[in-house]
Amino acid sequence: MTTAKINFGRRSFIKSSALAGGGLMIGFNWFASLNAQAAEVVKLPNEWFEITGYLKIGENGAITIMSPNPEIGQNIKTSMPMIVAEELDVDWKNVLVEQAPLNTAIFNRQLAGGSDSIKQSWPGLRLAGATGRKMLKEAAAKKWNVPVAEITTELGILYHQKSGKKAGYGEMASAAAQIPVPKEVELKDLKDFKIIGTSRKNVDGQKIVTGQPLFGLDYKKEGMLIAMIVHPPAFGMKLKSFDATDAKAKPGIKDVFRIKIYNDDYKPQWCDTTSFTELVAIVGNSTWEVMSARDYLKVEWEPFADHKIAMAGWGGDQLVSVPAGLESTADHHAKMTAAAAQPGKIERRDGNPEEAFKNAAKVIERTYTAPFLAHTPMEPMNFFADVTADNAKLVGPIQSPESMEKTLSARLGLPLEKIDIQMTRMGGGFGRRLYGHFMVEVALISQKMKAPVKLIYSREDEITFGIYRPAYHAFYRAALDAKNNLTAFHVRMGGIPENALHANRFPAGAIDNYLAESWAIESNISVGAMRAPGSNFNAVAEQSFLDEVAEAIGKDPIQFRLDLLKRAKENPVGKRNDYDAARYAGVLELVREKSGWDKNSAGKNRGVAAYFCHSSYVANVVDLTVEKNTPIIQKVYAAVDCGIVVNPDAAINMTEGGIVDGIGQAMYGQLTLSKGQPDQDNFDSYRLIRHAEAPKEIEVHFVQNEINPTGLGEPPYPPVMGALANALYKATGTRYYHQPFVKNKFE
Amino acid sequence: MAIFNLKINKKEYKVDVDPSTPMLWVLRDHLNLVGTKFGCGIAQCGACTIHLNGEAVRSCITFISEVGVKEITTIEGLSENGDHPLQMAWIEHDVPQCGYCQSGQIMTAAALLKKNPHPSDTDIEEAMNGNICRCGTYTRIKKAIKTASHS
Ligand code: FES
Ligand code: FES
């Protein structure tokens, strides 16, 4: 048992009520309805006692655990409460889970991003559970008049062995709620875990398969209006004027007006987007009426001039240049090619790479590119707001509620405590919902209408709004000596408007002479974080390149990587290497073993890749065949090291999803532009992977260790793209340098 | 506007909407049946799949005026207690990630199994190809359909 200090603060001061199971902290009936299903499984108590801000216990032993972070499909609403339940020492079948609202007084980092939810919350969630257990023990000790150290717990029951006394948590809940939050608690030993490491079903599973309201788009309130927006049709344009006469005459339409997303003196923060800051809003009674009437709006747009935006950054204000003009993909390609021909900004330099290249017996040079991508989460952007003169209530899908509350506060002129944000389950996000401009938009619309409003984006609105994954370009060089030793490695990476370089990741640290350079081209196309930012290109380019280098050297591609990692482990070059070479090698060894790489590869079109990002390590082997000029992904093996696996089956699901997504993006994903206008705007033109194109089989293995857990939302996504490119080469004899691969070859 | 009488999930409903309104929005906005999801609005993603006389259709392009006396089934009415073999198989395989596409997936799969109780892998891929899962749960969906087809 370890002793841990409590640092997560006090109990919340929210009143309990007998109705609790759902809606207790929330008050909307819509939310109360959400727990109906669960109540049939867990019997609701007559009274809930709030033990800490994280948990309530009913007199009958039912437990409610708050899930603090936004659920985006990463299973956090199940796996986070599992951690609390473990340390609380209760039976999982008595647990109800409730999505917590944004509450910075109780919860830390209520953010879905960076694959960090579990990693960052692990200690806090364990403490939250252990604190509850300690308070229950103290309550029992007091009641039975015995030393607290003599009290033990098991599955929601308190025992005092000497006296033979025992009591359920429910019986002690009311007394425990009066116990002061302890200063120190004991945490379980890992070997005593009963819930963590066992597969538990998605807590919302039954609601999902029966179509119960769960998502932002499903949210309703009496008297609610529906709104849509119109944004400029092209990057480089802004709103000039509009004529709403015809649209306003359509049935059900209440109003049409201009909204301005930021005040003039506002400095946008990281989660604010600055591409389309003035929009036309149309408001009416029902979705179809608003959608139909919107077509009758006559809007005039005009080009904007070069300008600079002062962004509030972590390291102080930053001036971002936004060039004028209507950009096209063809121009982007020309600009990237030109930029890549020039030396970039040196980000890391080890040894003497120039000398090594000069003396090389052989130099391998390759260029890789990838297009802009749109996030396209399945649930289109939407949000609900009810803004009055002195407060604002917002409900919907958002990855970054805490930051967006600040943006809203600045725009609405309301203090933070007057803004209430409730998070619904999200129909995906992939980073798109880190940028909550739609919350500001709906708040402004509600304020103007003096009514509750739900804003809905069409798929076209969302795909053409921007916040794309940047377009990337990478130029690699490797120097080999006469004995085929890799003597130098050079990467020059760029992008529009930012690059993907992680200069201190593998193979940095494994090669004596190493040079990493970066460049970027200004653009008015807005970009944002998309699942494994940077890594989602880096992994493909670098892992394809390493495959080619291994081939040129005449080494097995896994052994080649392992040899480099051995060097990085035993005698690393430089000090700033971001990865743990032993864990990196571990996933490669595991995937080699599980895929039968050494024995079983004959006659197969196999590719391998491994990558480290967001603190986790993943290696893949892809097996494919090409039939009628179409690649069929027969099997993907994954070896994953994310430390302790909290909910194994859900972790496998997440890994499978990352693999399918990676294959889809690499094969089909692209957003191109003509004169500032996206060429794709819905799923007929923006290609996503479909059933028949998904791998026939995926096999996931985890490295078993006792390292604190790290995230899985992002790490399984990048490496499979490299393994795919390498397997395609095996099958076709052609290397795949440019994404999407279908365009490259299979069309 | 016009009055329409609909039979949905074995219940009678009356709505007063424009005849050009897609069933998707009739269900979601007017009848509070929000299990049918909006994903693309152009019959490309399958999130809005419902049954019209047992056939899977895309409700985003099915106008209310085309429905007539045909019986509608939505995810809410697929089974009385949420225990259709597909729903149970979905839980058994813990299929959903975000979950948003899943009611549409289940409705398409239910129509498939009605016609073809023991589909092959290829049958499943073909029938399900119009339903996008952005989270990439395809392999689990296939397993769940097979489990349901054996039950
Ligand atoms: S919303 Fe109907 S198919 Fe996508
Ligand atoms: S589970 Fe998220 S789109 Fe299918």
Side-chain angles (χ1 to χ4, degrees):
Chain A
M1 217 173 261
T2 17
T3 304
K5 294 235 184 299
I6 297 298
N7 59 359
F8 70 88
R10 59 211 154 80
R11 205 170 301 184
S12 72
F13 297 98
I14 297 159
K15 270 225 204 81
S16 277
S17 87
L19 286 175
L24 166 71
M25 301 202 156
I26 294 152
F28 291 119
N29 288 334
W30 184 83
F31 278 98
S33 74
L34 294 190
N35 275 3
Q37 207 84 30
E40 289 161 20
V41 185
V42 180
K43 209 169 162 324
L44 285 183
N46 298 319
E47 200 169 355
W48 285 108
F49 300 96
E50 186 171 294
I51 311 297
T52 69
Y54 277 94
L55 56 105
K56 294 173 287 191
I57 300 181
E59 89 290 338
N60 67 344
I63 317 278
T64 293
I65 299 180
M66 305 304 289
S67 185
N69 281 35
E71 171 63 66
I72 196 173
Q74 83 283 49
N75 203 253
I76 230 68
K77 196 173 168 186
T78 307
S79 47
M80 281 192 160
M82 280 172 69
I83 301 170
V84 179
E86 178 70 70
E87 291 288 353
L88 184 61
D89 205 13
V90 291
D91 194 338
W92 182 247
K93 73 175 194 299
N94 293 331
V95 172
L96 285 167
V97 173
E98 202 173 295
Q99 175 67 55
L102 176 66
N103 188 338
T104 50
I106 302 176
F107 306 111
N108 290 326
R109 198 187 175 277
Q110 292 178 281
L111 175 85
S115 296
D116 261 357
S117 294
I118 286 282
K119 182 184 161 204
Q120 303 260 5
S121 307
W122 171 253
L125 293 170
R126 292 186 72 189
L127 285 179
T131 301
R133 184 166 53 131
K134 177 96 183 257
M135 289 161 77
L136 287 155
K137 279 169 138 182
E138 282 182 12
K142 225 168 147 183
K143 181 132 186 224
W144 297 336
N145 205 12
V146 299
V148 67
E150 291 178 5
I151 295 193
T152 58
T153 63
E154 203 184 340
L155 289 178
I157 299 174
L158 295 141
Y159 295 93
H160 182 250
Q161 228 153 23
K162 276 193 202 154
S163 64
K165 286 199 168 80
K166 71 171 193 174
Y169 281 9
E171 297 165 57
M172 289 294 165
S174 135
Q178 308 306 320
I179 300 277
V181 174
K183 296 220 158 40
E184 255 183 24
V185 296
E186 284 104 38
L187 297 176
K188 281 187 178 179
D189 285 339
L190 304 192
K191 67 171 173 33
D192 296 326
F193 282 173
K194 297 189 188 83
I195 298 174
I196 292 169
T198 64
S199 295
R200 306 291 163 144
K201 305 269 187 233
N202 190 323
V203 293
D204 283 337
Q206 189 64 27
K207 288 173 211 155
I208 290 168
V209 303
T210 52
Q212 301 308 301
L214 272 174
F215 299 93
L217 205 65
D218 303 341
Y219 182 76
K220 289 198 172 174
K221 193 181 177 194
E222 195 62 32
M224 177 180 89
L225 298 171
I226 298 290
M228 296 189 85
I229 54 98
V230 185
H231 67 67
F235 298 93
M237 305 285 266
K238 62 177 185 174
L239 178 60
K240 187 178 176 199
S241 62
F242 66 93
D243 173 1
T245 322
D246 294 348
K248 273 187 174 167
K250 296 290 159 195
I253 299 307
K254 295 276 191 195
D255 207 351
V256 178
F257 47 90
R258 179 190 283 247
I259 52 172
K260 196 172 161 186
I261 310 306
Y262 308 116
N263 294 326
D264 287 335
D265 59 350
Y266 178 69
K267 288 194 185 121
Q269 50 165 343
W270 70 275
C271 56
D272 296 324
T273 172
T274 52
S275 41
F276 302 138
T277 54
E278 277 196 81
L279 308 166
V280 181
I282 176 165
V283 190
N285 290 328
S286 71
T287 313
W288 186 246
E289 286 171 322
V290 175
M291 270 184 183
S292 314
R294 189 171 67 148
D295 294 343
Y296 292 87
L297 280 174
K298 296 187 191 89
V299 191
E300 276 196 68
W301 313 96
E302 60 187 351
F304 62 60
D306 287 342
H307 59 282
K308 289 197 192 307
I309 298 172
M311 301 273 296
W314 282 292
D317 293 353
Q318 228 184 324
L319 263 193
V320 179
S321 296
V322 185
L326 301 177
E327 301 174 19
S328 296
T329 298
D331 312 337
H332 285 159
H333 281 162
K335 279 189 185 173
M336 292 210 282
T337 307
Q342 304 297 322
K345 178 173 172 248
I346 296 178
E347 306 281 358
R348 173 165 171 157
R349 189 174 175 280
D350 296 323
N352 191 342
E354 297 78 14
E355 190 70 18
F357 276 104
K358 213 167 71 195
N359 297 334
K362 186 175 182 189
V363 174
I364 307 166
E365 284 188 7
R366 297 292 182 261
T367 294
Y368 301 81
T369 64
F372 288 107
L373 292 175
H375 299 76
T376 63
M378 213 62 221
E379 178 189 16
M381 298 302 113
N382 67 86
F383 229 86
F384 168 88
D386 191 358
V387 178
T388 62
D390 47 32
N391 68 58
K393 275 190 178 140
L394 289 105
V395 182
I398 182 71
Q399 291 179 246
S400 56
E402 190 173 343
S403 297
M404 283 313 301
E405 192 181 46
K406 296 187 184 119
T407 303
L408 285 159
S409 165
R411 182 61 181 91
L412 300 173
L414 288 171
L416 290 177
E417 57 276 16
K418 294 290 180 195
I419 298 171
D420 174 26
I421 299 177
Q422 315 281 349
M423 294 167 278
T424 55
R425 189 177 183 88
M426 279 178 267
F430 310 98
R432 181 63 181 81
R433 288 189 163 97
L434 289 167
Y435 308 94
H437 54 92
F438 38 83
M439 293 176 80
V440 184
E441 292 156 20
V442 71
L444 293 172
I445 298 168
S446 169
Q447 192 177 47
K448 171 94 199 298
M449 298 305 294
K450 298 190 168 52
V453 173
K454 182 164 68 185
L455 170 72
I456 297 177
Y457 271 50
S458 70
R459 180 60 62 190
E460 291 83 359
D461 295 338
E462 183 244 319
I463 293 188
T464 59
F465 196 93
I467 320 187
Y468 303 129
R469 193 282 300 266
Y472 291 131
H473 185 289
F475 169 73
Y476 283 95
R477 282 197 304 161
L480 307 184
D481 66 14
K483 289 193 192 119
N484 264 348
N485 294 307
L486 174 59
T487 53
F489 190 91
H490 174 203
V491 51
R492 180 181 292 157
M493 199 172 269
I496 302 177
E498 60 189 42
N499 66 74
L501 184 68
H502 293 284
N504 298 319
R505 285 197 190 154
F506 183 76
I511 301 163
D512 288 313
N513 305 298
Y514 174 90
L515 177 65
E517 300 170 277
S518 71
W519 53 267
I521 293 170
E522 284 178 357
S523 167
N524 58 34
I525 316 296
S526 70
V527 296
M530 191 178 106
R531 197 174 203 174
S535 308
N536 60 33
F537 172 62
N538 226 342
V540 202
E542 166 207 298
Q543 291 293 309
S544 302
F545 185 65
L546 289 179
D547 206 68
E548 245 183 288
V549 175
E551 191 185 33
I553 290 175
K555 266 196 194 174
D556 171 81
I558 294 184
Q559 196 54 50
F560 172 63
R561 288 169 172 83
L562 289 174
D563 291 347
L564 287 172
L565 286 162
K566 187 162 180 261
R567 165 73 203 273
K569 188 177 164 221
E570 289 171 359
N571 180 21
V573 182
K575 289 204 169 55
R576 291 179 301 147
N577 299 321
D578 288 347
Y579 58 96
D580 177 330
R583 292 181 77 186
Y584 213 132
V587 290
L588 271 164
E589 278 157 0
L590 186 62
V591 87
R592 176 164 70 178
E593 176 204 326
K594 296 296 178 184
S595 67
W597 180 267
D598 291 338
K599 293 173 228 140
N600 204 8
S601 295
K604 288 203 167 107
N605 305 309
R606 300 200 121 170
V608 66
Y611 202 68
F612 157 74
C613 65
H614 302 276
S615 314
S616 297
Y617 300 78
V618 179
N620 293 119
V621 167
V622 168
D623 285 352
L624 57 80
T625 52
V626 175
E627 288 160 33
K628 295 195 206 117
N629 212 26
T630 304
I632 315 276
I633 317 295
Q634 299 294 351
K635 185 156 183 178
V636 179
Y637 297 86
V640 181
D641 182 353
C642 57
I644 295 165
V645 181
V646 176
N647 192 3
D649 193 43
I652 292 171
N653 197 349
M654 197 79 253
T655 307
E656 291 166 351
I659 286 167
V660 172
D661 191 7
I663 292 171
Q665 302 286 8
M667 287 296 294
Y668 315 108
Q670 74 168 332
L671 188 122
T672 56
L673 296 128
S674 304
K675 297 211 170 75
Q677 202 159 352
D679 298 320
Q680 298 78 19
D681 67 358
N682 204 328
F683 298 137
D684 51 347
S685 47
Y686 191 87
R687 273 278 270 123
L688 289 175
I689 189 168
R690 289 175 180 273
H691 273 270
E693 294 149 349
K696 305 294 168 209
E697 201 184 341
I698 301 174
E699 202 180 291
V700 181
H701 300 275
F702 293 96
V703 173
Q704 304 293 331
N705 59 34
E706 294 192 347
I707 299 171
N708 283 352
T710 48
L712 262 188
E714 293 162 284
Y717 170 60
V720 71
M721 301 186 231
L724 170 70
N726 297 337
L728 281 172
Y729 166 69
K730 280 283 166 55
T732 64
T734 309
R735 289 281 176 187
Y736 289 81
Y737 301 108
H738 306 289
Q739 293 176 54
F741 298 154
V742 275
K743 216 178 121 210
N744 194 310
K745 169 81 176 176
F746 294 102
E747 236 169 31
Chain B
M1 306 292 257
I3 306 264
F4 294 92
N5 292 299
L6 299 167
K7 193 159 179 200
I8 306 169
N9 302 334
K10 306 206 170 83
K11 277 189 225 143
E12 314 280 341
Y13 292 87
K14 195 184 277 263
V15 276
D16 185 7
V17 294
D18 188 276
S20 75
T21 311
M23 271 315 298
L24 170 65
W25 299 111
V26 175
L27 293 168
R28 293 188 56 85
D29 277 8
H30 302 277
L31 302 176
N32 246 339
L33 292 165
V34 296
T36 305
K37 300 298 191 216
F38 169 51
C40 67
I42 58 162
Q44 288 292 319
C45 76
C48 67
T49 306
I50 58 170
H51 295 173
L52 212 53
N53 276 356
E55 288 276 343
V57 299
R58 305 294 188 234
S59 66
C60 66
I61 54 155
T62 306
F63 300 120
I64 190 169
S65 56
E66 302 167 40
V67 173
V69 296
K70 292 197 194 101
E71 284 190 32
I72 292 172
T73 310
T74 69
I75 186 73
E76 291 91 343
L78 183 64
S79 63
E80 231 160 85
N81 301 309
D83 55 359
H84 184 282
L86 282 165
Q87 287 167 320
M88 297 202 298
W90 243 248
I91 296 290
E92 184 185 328
H93 291 278
D94 214 11
V95 173
Q97 281 183 33
C98 82
Y100 192 80
C101 72
Q102 301 295 349
S103 44
Q105 305 276 3
I106 292 172
M107 293 308 282
T108 303
L112 164 69
L113 288 191
K114 211 180 259 176
K115 271 199 205 129
N116 179 357
H118 299 289
S120 68
D121 282 18
T122 317
D123 295 341
I124 294 174
E125 283 167 19
E126 274 169 18
M128 302 302 296
N129 218 36
N131 284 72
I132 295 173
C133 175
R134 177 67 181 85
C135 298
T137 63
Y138 297 127
T139 44
R140 278 178 192 240
I141 289 173
K142 195 189 273 176
K143 280 188 199 154
I145 294 174
K146 291 187 128 180
T147 298
S149 79
H150 294 134
S151 69

